[in-house]
C-alpha cells in the first residue's frame, strides 16, 4: 500500500539516498536497519516529506505524488495519510497529554471537540496512560512521553505510522514499555515502517527487514532470512558488530 | 541650588506630576504598538533569510541599537521633515508627539525584532516537524504550536523592554513634550525645589516600573505553566512543611497524630 519508487536525495554533494524502491503492504511491519549515516532515517522522513526527496515517486494508499513536481497541497495530503513517532518524542510542550493527542483531530481532521476527546482518551488508555491525561510533557517520563507520541500518531488513523528510532533516546529501563506498546499495535495490523536499533524487537515484530548501507538497500527479507542467513557481506559485518549473540540465538 | 529642602513639596508635587502621567503612558503605549509592528517586519526577513530585506533589517538594527536615543530623537524631529520636503511631503506642522512616538517606536522595534526572533527560534524545531507530520499547515503550526510557547519565552525580555522604554520617555522633554519629566523640570524651575521634584518623579517611575514588572511576571507564570514541574497541591504542601518550624522545635510529629 506504500510504494516508494526510485527515491534519490542529496544534501549538497553528499548523495544520501540512491534510487531506492520499497513496497510495504497493508498491515505489514517493515523494520529498516543499518549503520548510522546509511540513510535510513532520511528515507523514512522522505515518506512524509519532512525531507524533500530529489526525485522519485511516493504512493500512499490511493494517493500518488511525483517528487520532482510536488506542490504544497500534495505534500499536505501525503502528510495527512501518514503519521510519525519521533526519536525525541516532539510532544507539544504547552499542551497536556490529552491535548497533544486531540490537537490534530481538532485542527486537521476538524472533529467536534467531544468526539476528539472521547477518541483521544480511549487511545491514551490503550497505551496505558489513562491516569495521565492532564499532565504536561514536562511531568512525564521519557517512556510515558513516547507513549503519548504513539497515541498521537494512532489518533490520525493513518495508512502508515513511521517510527524514527522510537526508543533511542530512552533510558534502558524505559525501552521495554514503549516496545510493548508498539508490539501491541503491530498485532492489530497497523502498517508500520520502523527504523530501530533494537534487534530483538526487529526479530519478533517485523514481517520484513530491510538492511540499508551507503544510501542503498543492500538486502531485504524475512527476519529469519536477514538475521540467520544474510547473503551480503555488508549485512553480515553489521550484524556481527551490533548483535554478537545473533549467531547463537534460536 | 534653589530653596532649602522641604519634604512637604514632595507630596504636593506628586499629584501635579501625576497629571502628566497620561502623556508618558501614551508615549509608552504608542511606541510599544509601533515597535511590535516594526519588530515583526524587521524580524521576518531575518528569520526567513530573505536576501535584500535581511540586509536592510541589519542596517536598521545597527542604527537603532548603536546610537543614543537622544540623537535619534533630534535626527527624526529636525531631520525627517527636511528630507521629506525633498519628496514634497510637508511634515513641519505635524505634532511633536508624532515624532516622539515614531522615534521611540522604531527604537523599540529594533529590540522587539531581536526578542521576536530569539523567542521563535527558541521553540524546539522538533515540535514544528511533529505539527507538519500531523498534516498541519505552516500557519496552523505557527499559531497553535510556536506562538503560544514563544510568547512565554518572550515575556521576560518584553518586560525589560517596557521598563527601559518607560524610563527612556523621560528624554521626550528635550523636544518640548510636557510629559512627567518635562513637568518636573518646570515645577523645579518655578519653585526652586529641584530635589523634591526629582524625588517625587523617581518615586512615580519606580511605582509604575514595579507594577508593570509584577504584572508581566504573572503573565509569564501563566504562559509557561506547562514547564512547572510541581503542581499547586505539592507547592502548598511544601509551604506548610516549611511553615511547621514550630512543630519541629516542639518535637511534635504531626504525621503520627493522636494519643500516646
Amino acid at each position: 500500500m506504500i510504494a516508494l519508487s526510485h527515491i534519490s536525495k542529496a544534501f549538497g554533494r553528499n548523495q544520501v539516498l540512491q534510487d531506492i524502491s520499497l513496497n510495504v503492504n497493508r498491515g505489514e511491519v517493515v523494520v529498516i536497519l543499518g549503520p548510522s549515516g546509511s540513510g535510513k532515517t532520511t528515507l523514512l522522513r522522505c515518506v512524509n516529506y519532512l525531507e524533500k526527496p530529489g526525485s522519485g515517486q511516493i504512493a500512499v494508499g490511493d494517493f500518488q505524488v511525483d517528487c520532482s513536481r510536488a506542490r504544497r497541497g500534495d505534500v499536505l495530503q501525503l502528510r495527512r495519510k501518514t503519521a510519525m513517532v519521533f526519536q525525541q518524542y516532539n510532544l507539544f510542550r504547552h499542551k497536556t497529554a490529552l491535548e497533544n493527542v486531540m490537537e490534530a483531530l481538532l485542527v486537521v481532521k476538524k472533529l467536534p471537540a467531544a468526539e476528539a476527546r472521547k477518541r483521544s482518551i480511549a487511545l491514551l488508555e490503550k497505551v496505558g496512560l489513562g491516569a495521565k491525561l492532564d499532565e504536561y510533557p514536562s511531568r512525564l517520563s521519557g517512556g510515558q512521553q513516547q507513549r503519548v507520541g504513539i497515541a498521537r500518531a494512532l489518533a490520525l488513523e493513518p495508512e502508515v505510522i513511521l517510527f524514527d528510532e522510537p526508543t533511542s533516546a530512552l533510558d534502558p529501563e524505559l525501552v521495554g514499555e514503549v516496545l510493548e506498546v508498539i508490539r501491541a499495535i503491530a498485532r492489530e495490523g497497523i502498517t508500520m515502517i520502523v527504523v530501530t536499533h533494537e534487534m530483538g524487537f526487529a526479530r519478533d515484530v517485523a514481517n520484513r527487514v530491510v538492511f540499508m548501507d551507503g544510501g542503498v538497500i543492500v538486502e531485504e527479507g524475512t527476519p529469519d532470512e536477514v538475521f540467520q542467513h544474510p547473503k551480503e557481506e555488508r549485512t553480515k559485518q553489521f550484524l556481527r558488530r551490533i548483535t554478537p549473540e545473533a549467531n547463537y540465538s534460536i | 541650588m534653589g530653596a532649602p529642602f522641604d519634604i512637604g513639596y514632595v507630596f504636593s508635587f506628586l499629584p501635579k506630576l501625576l497629571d502628566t502621567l497620561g502623556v508618558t503612558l501614551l508615549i509608552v503605549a504608542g511606541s510599544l504598538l509601533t515597535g511590535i509592528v516594526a519588530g515583526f517586519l524587521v524580524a521576518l526577513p531575518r528569520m526567513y533569510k530573505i536576501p535584500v530585506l535581511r540586509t536592510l533589517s541589519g542596517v536598521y538594527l545597527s542604527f537603532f541599537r548603536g546610537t543614543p536615543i537622544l540623537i535619534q530623537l533630534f535626527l527624526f524631529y529636525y531631520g525627517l521633515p527636511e528630507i521629506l520636503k525633498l519628496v514634497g511631503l510637508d511634515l513641519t506642522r505635524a505634532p511633536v508627539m508624532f515624532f516622539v512616538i515614531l522615534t521611540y517606536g522604531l527604537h523599540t522595534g529594533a529590540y522587539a525584532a531581536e526578542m521576536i526572533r530569539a523567542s521563535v527560534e527558541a521553540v524546539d524545531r522538533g515540535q514544528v516537524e511533529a505539527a507538519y507530520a500531523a498534516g498541519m499547515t505552516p500557519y496552523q503550526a505557527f499559531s497553535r504550536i510556536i506562538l503560544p510557547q514563544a510568547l512565554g519565552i518572550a515575556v521576560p525580555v518584553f518586560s525589560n523592554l517596557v521598563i527601559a522604554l518607560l524610563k527612556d520617555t523621560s528624554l521626550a522633554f528635550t523636544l518640548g513634550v510636557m510629559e512627567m519629566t518635562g513637568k518636573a523640570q518646570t515645577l523645579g524651575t518655578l519653585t526652586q525645589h529641584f530635589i523634591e521634584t526629582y524625588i517625587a518623579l523617581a518615586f512615580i517611575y519606580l511605582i509604575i516600573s514595579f507594577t508593570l514588572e509584577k504584572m508581566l511576571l504573572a503573565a509569564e507564570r501563566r504562559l509557561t505553566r506547562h514547564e512547572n514541574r510541581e503542581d499547586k497541591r505539592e507547592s502548598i504542601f511544601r509551604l506548610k512543611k516549611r511553615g511547621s518550624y514550630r512543630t519541629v522545635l516542639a518535637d511534635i510529629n504531626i504525621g503520627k497524630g493522636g494519643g500516646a
Side-chain angles (χ1 to χ4, degrees), chain B residues 9-11 13-14 17-18 20-21 24 163 166-167 170 179-185 187 193-211:
Chain B
Y9 277 97
V10 175
F11 297 106
F13 284 152
L14 278 175
L17 290 174
L18 283 172
T20 53
L21 177 62
T24 296
I163 287 162
L166 170 73
K167 292 184 294 177
S170 64
E179 44 69 71
M180 274 199 308
T181 307
K183 181 77 176 181
Q185 300 272 13
L187 287 175
H193 287 278
F194 283 99
I195 300 294
E196 293 87 335
T197 52
Y198 291 133
I199 289 173
L201 184 62
F203 183 70
I204 296 174
Y205 278 117
L206 189 68
I207 295 296
I208 302 169
S209 298
F210 183 78
T211 316

